[in-house]
Amino acid sequence: MITMEVTMKGQADTQSTVLDVDNLRQQFPLLSQTVHGHPLVYLDNAATTQKPVSVIESLNRYYREQNANVHRAAHFLSACTTHGFEAARETTRHFINARFTEEIIWTRGATEAINLVASSWGRSQLKAGDEIILSRLEHHANIVPWQLLTEVTGATIRVVELDDAGNLDMQQFRQLLSDKSRLVAMTHTSNAIGTITPIKEVIELAHQAGALVLVDGSQAVAHQKVDVQALGADFYVFSGHKVYGPTGIGVLYGRRGLLENMPPWQGGGEMIEHVSFSGTRFNRLPFKFEAGTPNIAGAIGLGKALEFLADIDVAAMQAHEHQLRLLVEEGLSQISGIRLIGQAEWKAPVVSFVSSEHHNQDIGLMLDQQGIAVRTGHHCAMPLMEGLNLNGTVRASFALYNTVDEAVAFVDAMDKLHHSPLYIAHPEMNSDQSQTMISETTDLPEIFRQQAPNLAAITERLNGLSGWQERYRQIMLLGKELPVLSGEWRSDDARLHGCESSVWLHHHYDDETMRLYFIADSDARVIRGLIAIVLAVFSGKTPAEIEQEDIDLWFRELDLFNHLSPSRGNGLKAIVREIQAVAHRYR
């Protein structure tokens, strides 16, 4: 057995075996896929992890062999299902070292768990003048429920800021704590930049001030041992799908005394002991908070996922993931134009960065065309991005099944991207000659006269191309041929919502020809190229023609749907909706 010395920041030196990553990967069927002709390199684990065979088979077995509702039926299938369902609860209790099984409440995910606490504990306990302390690192799911709560209780929110490296400002946290502090709701690990908060110290300080603490552990449970009793957490939440389990299942841990005194959140079956029209008597824990038929298969699958993870050597896993992160951070730091975001002292296996050469969305597309899956955008952490003065980042997040070869392939892909001339056109393609100049009306403002190539020219250029790089180059060139908007043309009034990148759209209606002309721009090069196609379809047509046009038809004709991720697709739909709304106003 090969061994190595593992030294982790903030941990004592430990001796640990090396993870058998090859064997682990064989337990994850999805990882053997190819994407666009390349082996899949899945680096979006902070969004969701892949599922081992044991989890997949548990879901299959439940629906094939024992599908029944839990708890109340007397027949054999129900008894089997109830046993598996409650065994998964006990597995979860043991996994996070809760004291009592009834302290484990099934929810749809961490988001619902936070909303449960906000609605049940928060509405019954908070009043005007009380304070809730959050951090700049929080996911939207640990911000919005508390904002909604303050609207009905009169409580206020205070925010702990970060230092330049992305560490929690503990000095400011101490200053914010007061006799008004009733709850601290804080992430254990940032999903966006990987900061691991000193959560045990946070909890101790909050308790000294008389406040309770809810910990969002969604990004922590898959990467470190969590002991809720040792931490002293009052509430701890996480989602199954981020810890190798199914989607649609999550966990709320709460101290039994707190849960017993909290009113039910939702009413219905299972959460009652007796119902009559004169009154209702509620069920005991944990069922008081589990109204209706639960996600039985999800709970059983989550139990299997936690059993899988419990068999992993935690120190070896952390050493492996730590190695991958350092390898990628070191490689990216040597690429001119890339800036790493978030260099906290304690970090999870998450690497966030921005490029001065390429928009985040463009990077995500170009990596995807090589089979590399990363996440781009604000990562549901817009207040954090606002604090960092960024619109978003590119995020690569690692799991125990990722390999050194995958980390190297990712860095190599980023290096090539920053040294490959994606904007160099073929010699026969002169961008100045590709633009269409409109001259049929003298009333058309000059900026609207310069249009993207027409559809015939676009079709000729794109059809017959093979390979992601060649196709992507041509899309980029189409965007390069659009007029660049600046100044007042990029005002907030002209900016469209629903796009991951920034998009500005203007129109001009010509009274003489009764045609609408459009110009648009984006800070993402790939979106500029796709906009060129949209404008070629719609610009210069009558309102009636615009409303009848089918953009999907042209994207199928040009074989461009592979370039439309959900975010890009939604962005283009937002552009098309606005164009058609403008057309409708002129009919």
Side-chain angles (χ1 to χ4, degrees):
M1 179 68 70
I2 300 174
T3 61
M4 70 177 187
E5 194 72 16
V6 179
T7 304
M8 296 286 289
K9 175 70 82 171
Q11 293 183 317
D13 291 353
T14 59
Q15 189 79 12
S16 173
T17 58
V18 175
L19 278 186
D20 186 351
V21 179
D22 289 340
N23 179 60
L24 283 171
R25 287 180 67 84
Q26 292 175 17
Q27 300 181 55
F28 291 84
L30 188 140
L31 297 179
S32 63
Q33 286 192 26
T34 59
V35 175
H36 302 306
H38 298 270
L40 171 65
V41 177
Y42 185 78
L43 304 180
D44 194 20
N45 296 285
T48 194
T49 52
Q50 298 307 323
K51 319 307 172 192
V53 170
S54 60
V55 171
I56 297 169
E57 289 182 345
S58 73
L59 300 178
N60 187 295
R61 188 181 311 113
Y62 167 73
Y63 284 116
R64 282 183 176 273
E65 300 177 7
Q66 65 184 66
N67 181 43
N69 217 324
V70 290
H71 296 138
R72 295 194 176 274
H75 57 77
F76 174 77
L77 289 180
S78 179
C80 291
T81 299
T82 299
H83 174 76
F85 182 72
E86 292 303 330
R89 197 191 303 270
E90 171 59 21
T91 297
T92 305
R93 181 207 68 77
H94 185 266
F95 186 81
I96 62 172
N97 194 34
R99 187 177 179 187
F100 304 106
T101 305
E102 57 264 37
E103 292 177 325
I104 303 300
I105 310 297
W106 298 126
T107 64
R108 289 185 301 145
T111 298
E112 184 173 83
I114 295 170
N115 276 275
L116 190 162
V117 175
S119 296
S120 177
W121 179 86
R123 287 180 179 239
S124 65
Q125 297 296 318
L126 296 186
K127 63 183 185 304
D130 290 341
E131 293 181 352
I132 302 167
I133 298 179
L134 309 178
S135 83
R136 177 68 64 174
L137 292 167
E138 303 311 314
H139 188 282
H140 297 164
N142 202 27
I143 299 174
V144 179
W146 308 115
Q147 290 176 328
L148 294 173
L149 180 61
T150 61
E151 292 177 2
V152 297
T153 63
T156 57
I157 291 174
R158 308 293 298 277
V159 180
V160 185
E161 300 294 345
L162 311 175
D163 65 17
D164 292 340
N167 297 294
L168 201 66
D169 187 338
M170 291 300 291
Q171 182 177 353
Q172 188 207 12
F173 176 61
R174 292 183 179 90
Q175 294 171 348
L176 289 179
L177 287 168
S178 70
D179 57 4
K180 296 180 181 180
S181 305
R182 296 295 309 280
L183 180 75
V184 175
M186 194 171 293
T187 185
H188 199 160
T189 300
S190 165
N191 73 304
I193 61 174
T195 299
I196 300 175
T197 60
I199 199 65
K200 183 174 176 60
E201 183 183 0
V202 166
I203 292 171
E204 290 172 350
L205 291 170
H207 284 173
Q208 290 171 16
L212 299 181
V213 181
L214 178 144
V215 181
D216 178 0
S218 299
Q219 298 294 332
V221 286
H223 303 290
Q224 65 185 86
K225 181 66 176 176
V226 172
D227 185 331
V228 293
Q229 290 191 75
L231 288 175
D234 301 295
F235 303 102
Y236 197 99
V237 307
F238 65 93
S239 296
H241 72 99
K242 295 182 188 293
V243 64
Y244 308 105
T247 56
I249 187 70
V251 172
L252 164 64
Y253 158 80
R255 287 196 293 108
R256 187 169 67 175
L258 288 172
L259 295 175
E260 286 176 338
N261 291 322
M262 287 163 51
W265 178 37
Q266 296 176 323
E270 191 60 43
M271 53 78 65
I272 54 86
E273 184 177 290
H274 177 78
V275 175
S276 71
F277 284 112
S278 61
T280 294
R281 186 167 62 249
F282 301 119
N283 209 340
R284 67 187 188 280
L285 292 175
F287 311 117
K288 182 173 74 170
F289 293 108
E290 294 179 1
T293 298
N295 184 355
I296 301 167
I300 292 172
L302 176 55
K304 290 298 180 183
L306 298 183
E307 288 176 4
F308 160 81
L309 196 54
D311 287 337
I312 303 295
D313 184 317
V314 175
M317 175 183 68
Q318 290 182 323
H320 174 67
E321 294 177 341
H322 185 68
Q323 176 192 21
L324 297 178
R325 177 176 68 82
L326 292 183
L327 190 158
V328 168
E329 287 182 338
E330 181 179 356
L332 293 180
S333 65
Q334 296 177 16
I335 301 174
S336 177
I338 288 182
R339 176 165 63 98
L340 297 175
I341 305 298
Q343 294 289 283
E345 184 179 7
W346 291 41
K347 276 198 67 176
V350 170
V351 180
S352 264
F353 64 93
V354 294
S355 168
S356 61
E357 301 297 319
H358 300 285
H359 190 277
N360 301 329
Q361 204 173 20
D362 294 336
I363 292 173
L365 172 65
M366 289 183 280
L367 291 175
D368 177 63
Q369 295 300 311
Q370 300 175 74
I372 301 173
V374 297
R375 179 74 45 161
T376 65
H378 52 66
H379 316 298
C380 293
M382 293 178 74
L384 172 59
M385 295 301 151
E386 182 181 68
L388 296 171
N389 196 28
L390 297 171
N391 292 324
T393 68
V394 181
R395 183 189 70 192
S397 50
F398 303 91
L400 54 82
Y401 44 61
N402 288 123
T403 68
V404 169
D405 286 345
E406 289 180 324
V408 171
F410 169 61
V411 172
D412 285 348
M414 289 303 305
D415 185 61
K416 290 176 182 176
L417 172 60
H418 282 71
H419 293 93
S420 61
L422 284 170
Y423 255 13
I424 294 179
H426 287 275
E428 68 273 14
M429 293 183 178
N430 186 318
S431 61
D432 292 335
Q433 297 175 353
S434 298
Q435 295 165 348
T436 300
M437 299 301 294
I438 306 297
S439 58
E440 61 184 58
T441 171
T442 57
D443 294 332
L444 193 63
E446 183 65 29
I447 196 167
F448 286 92
R449 293 176 178 272
Q450 182 179 319
Q451 294 287 310
N454 60 41
L455 277 173
I458 291 174
T459 302
E460 182 179 354
R461 286 169 60 169
L462 291 181
N463 282 350
L465 295 177
S466 61
W468 75 270
Q469 193 167 12
E470 184 61 31
R471 203 165 190 79
Y472 187 78
R473 179 181 289 113
Q474 294 309 315
I475 293 173
M476 298 274 275
L477 284 169
L478 286 173
K480 191 178 182 182
E481 292 160 16
L482 286 177
V484 176
L485 303 183
S486 59
E488 63 181 11
W489 293 99
R490 285 197 170 197
S491 67
D492 287 340
D493 290 342
R495 183 172 176 175
L496 300 186
H497 298 285
C499 308
E500 183 177 325
S501 57
S502 296
V503 174
W504 299 269
L505 177 72
H506 295 268
H507 71 275
H508 175 80
Y509 181 69
D510 184 66
D511 291 320
E512 183 179 345
T513 63
M514 293 183 290
R515 295 179 182 275
L516 274 165
Y517 295 88
F518 296 90
I519 54 170
D521 199 1
S522 173
D523 56 357
R525 293 175 182 175
V526 65
I527 292 298
R528 280 179 60 86
L530 296 174
I531 284 174
I533 300 171
V534 171
L535 297 186
V537 171
F538 291 112
S539 191
K541 294 186 176 179
T542 66
E545 290 172 335
I546 290 172
E547 288 192 289
Q548 294 171 7
E549 195 64 70
D550 181 5
I551 190 68
D552 287 352
L553 176 66
W554 286 106
F555 272 83
R556 282 192 295 270
E557 176 74 19
L558 297 170
D559 192 24
L560 290 176
F561 276 107
N562 284 338
H563 297 276
L564 290 181
S565 67
S567 60
R568 278 183 291 275
N570 291 336
L572 284 179
K573 288 176 183 176
I575 299 169
V576 172
R577 282 196 302 269
E578 180 63 21
I579 288 174
Q580 293 182 327
V582 170
H584 185 73
R585 294 200 296 269
Y586 284 93
R587 289 208 57 178

